[in-house]
Amino acid sequence: GVRIKPCRMWIGGNLPLGGGLSSSAAMEIGVSLALLELAQTEIEPAKLAVLCHKAENSYAVSPCGLMDQLACLVSKVGHALMIDCRTRETAHIPLLLNDAKIVVADTQVRHSIAGGEYGLRRHQCEELLRRIQESYPSIRSLRDVETRIMAGMMSKLDPLLMHRLTHIVTENARVSQSIEAIAQADMDTVGTCMFASHASLCDNFEVSCAELNEVVALSHGVKGVYGARMTGGGFGGCVVILCKESSVASLLVTLRERYSPKFRNRLNAFPVTPSDGAAAIQRI
């Protein structure tokens, strides 16, 4: 419904491409905001995120969810972002890092969500829901599955689908636990959830890779690291690490010197800061 003016556009950035840090969503949101700026109009953030998500699904043929687009638009400096993907409601939770810092380690192993494995996981989740609804018709989505229901499905699901379900149920519980811990500035609990999350992503959902596992294992051995987990669609990309500020230097040295030489790609690690979502830096 917005008339777009003809324009010449230059696109640049420093997000690792294919690294699981939402580079495609960042481009979609950035281009959209630039075009809206030229048209001197606005679209409500949640609606704009849905439009960009539709573009990625329909034109890039990437079966991603809505998280990345919302994060690019509505993130707030100094806060964690909680997204309810059913209602599309968001909430900002003060991220009181205190003595903690966030470090991103890029394995430079590139993945494509448009590739087969990501789509296969979505298909498996859809099959899971169908099978569960045969026994529990009131279940609307996998987020509704409680531990008792998961236990009731053990004899009805093959081991592979049971592993997938185990990850989803336990991961949702970890999200809730982490939200409470972040609100209380309890970095120890947040870190514990991160390590447990990565283990489940590796063993139950099977979307990790040797390089990601190596980074998490190395991080676990550094004094002052609270937690680490892969991020993004998996099969490559980046690890997010939460550690004490005083441990950042030793963490970076450990990753640089002990990351296995058997991996062809060079590891790139750097601190990051939670910031605001995308916006025009200069008005026309």
Side-chain angles (χ1 to χ4, degrees):
V2 177
R3 184 178 294 276
I4 301 300
K5 296 181 179 181
C7 66
R8 291 178 181 268
M9 186 174 290
W10 179 87
I11 297 173
N14 58 6
L15 277 175
L17 302 180
L21 297 181
S22 309
S23 57
S24 58
M27 189 179 76
E28 293 153 14
I29 297 299
V31 168
S32 298
L33 291 176
L35 293 174
L36 288 170
E37 185 76 12
L38 289 172
Q40 294 187 321
T41 188
E42 295 182 358
I43 292 180
E44 190 265 326
K47 182 179 178 181
L48 182 58
V50 170
L51 288 172
C52 290
H53 175 241
K54 181 180 179 181
E56 185 147 1
N57 286 175
S58 301
Y59 297 96
V61 198
S62 174
C64 66
L66 186 62
M67 177 184 70
D68 294 355
Q69 288 80 8
L70 278 172
C72 286
L73 268 174
V74 303
S75 289
K76 185 177 179 181
V77 64
H79 289 72
L81 179 67
M82 192 281 288
I83 301 173
D84 186 321
C85 289
R86 173 178 287 167
T87 64
R88 296 174 181 166
E89 293 177 337
T90 60
H92 296 100
I93 304 163
L95 188 56
L96 304 176
L97 291 171
N98 297 328
D99 69 338
K101 286 288 184 180
I102 300 171
V103 174
V104 167
D106 180 11
T107 65
Q108 300 197 56
V109 177
R110 296 300 172 240
H111 73 268
S112 172
I113 288 181
E117 286 292 337
Y118 185 93
L120 177 60
R121 293 303 179 280
R122 286 201 60 150
H123 173 75
Q124 290 169 345
C125 290
E126 291 161 359
E127 174 65 12
L128 257 176
L129 180 60
R130 186 187 67 78
R131 297 277 294 276
I132 293 171
Q133 286 175 332
E134 291 176 354
S135 300
Y136 302 90
S138 63
I139 296 296
R140 295 169 54 198
S141 71
L142 294 177
R143 70 180 284 175
D144 298 324
V145 178
E146 300 173 352
T147 304
R148 63 175 183 84
I149 294 177
M150 183 170 68
M153 293 300 299
M154 287 190 67
S155 61
K156 302 176 183 180
L157 296 174
D158 62 67
L160 179 65
L161 289 183
M162 196 65 210
H163 278 301
R164 304 295 187 255
L165 182 60
T166 298
H167 171 70
I168 291 165
V169 173
T170 58
E171 186 75 350
N172 278 334
R174 282 187 287 270
V175 170
S176 297
Q177 186 179 4
S178 295
I179 289 171
E180 294 181 5
I182 289 171
Q184 298 170 11
D186 180 1
M187 296 299 112
D188 288 310
T189 297
V190 175
T192 298
C193 288
M194 291 175 72
F195 278 131
S197 176
H198 183 83
S200 184
L201 285 162
C202 177
D203 299 331
N204 291 320
F205 217 55
E206 297 183 276
V207 293
S208 188
C209 66
E211 291 87 349
L212 292 169
N213 295 340
E214 173 96 346
V215 173
V216 172
L218 289 173
S219 301
H220 199 286
V222 176
K223 185 178 180 180
V225 169
Y226 293 107
R229 74 184 289 277
M230 56 157 282
T231 187
F235 314 106
C238 297
V239 172
V240 175
I241 307 163
L242 182 67
C243 70
K244 292 183 178 180
E245 184 173 9
S246 58
S247 301
V248 170
S250 60
L251 171 66
L252 296 178
V253 169
T254 297
L255 293 178
R256 182 172 62 249
E257 295 183 351
R258 296 184 58 191
Y259 185 67
S260 177
K262 70 182 179 183
F263 300 130
R264 292 180 299 172
N265 296 308
R266 183 180 178 183
L267 187 72
N268 181 28
F270 46 91
V272 297
T273 303
S275 60
D276 287 331
I281 58 175
Q282 182 176 340
R283 296 294 182 186
I284 60 172

